[in-house]
Amino acid sequence: MRSPEVADAIPALIQNGLLSPPVAVAPLRVARGELLSVRGELRAVLYIGVLLLVAGVSLLVKENLDRIGPVTIAVAIGLAAVGCLAWALHRAPAFRWGMAESTDWTFDFLLLLGILLLGADLAFVEAKFTPLGANWSYHLLVMSLVTGAFAVRGDSRLCWSLALSSFAAWRGIAATRLGSELLGPSQTPLRINLILCGLVFVALGLALRRFDRKAHLEPLTTFCGALATLGGLGLFALDESGAWIPWAVIFLVASVVLAFLALRSRRFGLFALGAVAAYFATTQLVFKVVREPFLGCFWFSGSSVGMIVLLFLVQRRFRAAAQEGHE
């Protein structure tokens, strides 16, 4: 990023003997805008490449299933997954409970590729040989635990998010099946399960920070938990066939509390999530209490602009506070 102030300061640091000329070359070129980082673009290309590779494997299996045979395909995908995961373990940084990110910026994506291939292999085996039968959703639980273990071992936020989403998907399928058996086509078990799953994630995040075990994964875990919890409450609040008013109030209170706590801890992502959720809850209550379509134009035009301004001001305040802290 171009920074004239830094470019002017570096020669003075060299003159005062605080910075040696060889060391100053790289930061000086960056400050002058002569060097540009493409790390973000390369990571995006790698991520897309991993997804395209997994999609290509799926098409290959589909087109050649009868010719190759299911056993051969299952073994081949499994060996490819084991190869990627073995390479990832070999290149992984030494394990520690603190941050231990790999210096190899391709590590995350090859680890992700191995996990996705392993998940695809398990899904293929389940579809063709049905070893779990009606309990096929348990392979999501297995993948969640395996992915979580690799994420902790390799200190991968990308794989950690995949582990959390796989666990939530497993609970969602289990809740839907249980609800269909007990209550018929009701969405109540799914919503309750979503709330409980979110609370579990929040508790896990608090435990990571409390016991200082991969504490840098706590923000992602807490955000996923808050998102799932508010999502379940929001589904109850939007369902007008039930007692939606108490749920809308609970949804609003939970959103405001989340925004307040995030404001105190200077977490913009959580604050934005709580603020937007509170906006939706307030909109739901306002439109049900004031049944006047004409007022909707004023409400949306004013409240949406106000929400954007609020998020902008809070984000700028957080950024200023972070800069002051670095100084």
Side-chain angles (χ1 to χ4, degrees):
M1 181 180 294
R2 185 180 179 87
S3 177
E5 296 82 3
V6 175
D8 294 338
I10 289 179
L13 294 176
I14 297 175
Q15 185 177 1
N16 294 331
L18 299 176
L19 193 65
S20 62
V23 175
V25 172
L28 184 59
R29 293 186 65 189
V30 172
R32 290 174 176 173
E34 298 174 359
L35 290 179
L36 297 176
S37 174
V38 294
R39 183 183 180 91
E41 290 79 0
L42 290 176
R43 289 179 66 88
V45 170
L46 275 176
Y47 183 75
I48 295 173
V50 168
L51 296 181
L52 290 176
L53 183 57
V54 175
V57 170
S58 301
L59 290 176
L60 180 65
V61 170
K62 179 181 177 182
E63 297 296 331
N64 299 278
L65 177 60
D66 295 333
R67 184 169 61 89
I68 300 177
V71 175
T72 305
I73 289 177
V75 172
I77 297 177
L79 289 176
V82 170
C84 290
L85 294 177
W87 182 93
L89 286 178
H90 176 70
R91 298 297 298 271
F95 177 77
R96 57 175 178 166
W97 285 116
M99 185 178 294
E101 292 182 307
S102 174
T103 56
D104 188 344
W105 55 278
T106 64
F107 170 80
D108 262 3
F109 299 95
L110 288 172
L111 178 60
L112 176 64
L113 176 60
I115 290 173
L116 290 179
L117 288 175
L118 179 60
D121 194 37
L122 288 178
F124 178 77
V125 170
E126 184 59 40
K128 289 299 176 182
F129 305 106
T130 62
L132 298 179
N135 298 317
W136 62 270
S137 62
Y138 277 100
H139 89 269
L140 289 173
L141 174 61
V142 174
M143 282 305 304
S144 173
L145 297 177
V146 171
T147 305
F150 275 103
V152 172
R153 174 61 186 87
D155 205 16
S156 172
R157 292 181 178 87
L158 187 61
C159 294
W160 183 252
S161 63
L162 181 60
L164 295 177
S165 59
S166 298
F167 184 85
W170 168 64
R171 290 310 312 150
I173 294 174
T176 301
R177 177 177 299 169
L178 180 62
S180 299
E181 294 174 355
L182 298 180
L183 303 175
S186 173
Q187 297 298 317
T188 299
L190 178 62
R191 297 167 184 172
I192 293 177
N193 192 85
L194 188 60
I195 295 172
L196 294 178
C197 187
L199 293 177
V200 169
F201 287 170
V202 171
L204 176 60
L206 293 176
L208 292 175
R209 180 171 292 275
R210 171 66 177 80
F211 298 104
D212 195 21
R213 295 293 186 266
K214 296 295 180 182
H216 55 286
L217 297 178
E218 179 269 330
L220 173 62
T221 309
T222 302
F223 183 86
C224 291
L227 179 62
T229 303
L230 292 181
L233 294 175
L235 290 176
F236 273 117
L238 294 175
D239 187 5
E240 300 179 8
S241 62
W244 67 271
I245 295 181
W247 283 110
V249 174
I250 295 173
F251 181 38
L252 176 61
V253 172
S255 303
V256 172
V257 170
L258 175 64
F260 174 75
L261 294 176
L263 190 62
R264 292 188 58 184
S265 58
R266 295 178 181 176
R267 294 192 179 188
F268 180 74
L270 285 177
F271 175 81
L273 177 62
V276 172
Y279 172 72
F280 281 118
T282 304
T283 300
Q284 172 77 350
L285 291 171
V286 166
F287 272 78
K288 294 303 177 182
V289 173
V290 182
R291 298 181 178 272
E292 180 56 52
F294 178 73
L295 296 178
C297 298
F298 293 98
W299 169 260
F300 280 114
S301 60
S303 60
S304 59
V305 172
M307 178 60 61
I308 294 173
V309 171
L310 173 65
L311 294 177
F312 172 77
L313 293 177
V314 171
Q315 195 270 346
R316 189 173 67 173
R317 176 63 186 133
F318 284 178
R319 182 182 300 175
Q323 292 177 350
E324 292 174 1
H326 288 305
E327 294 175 357

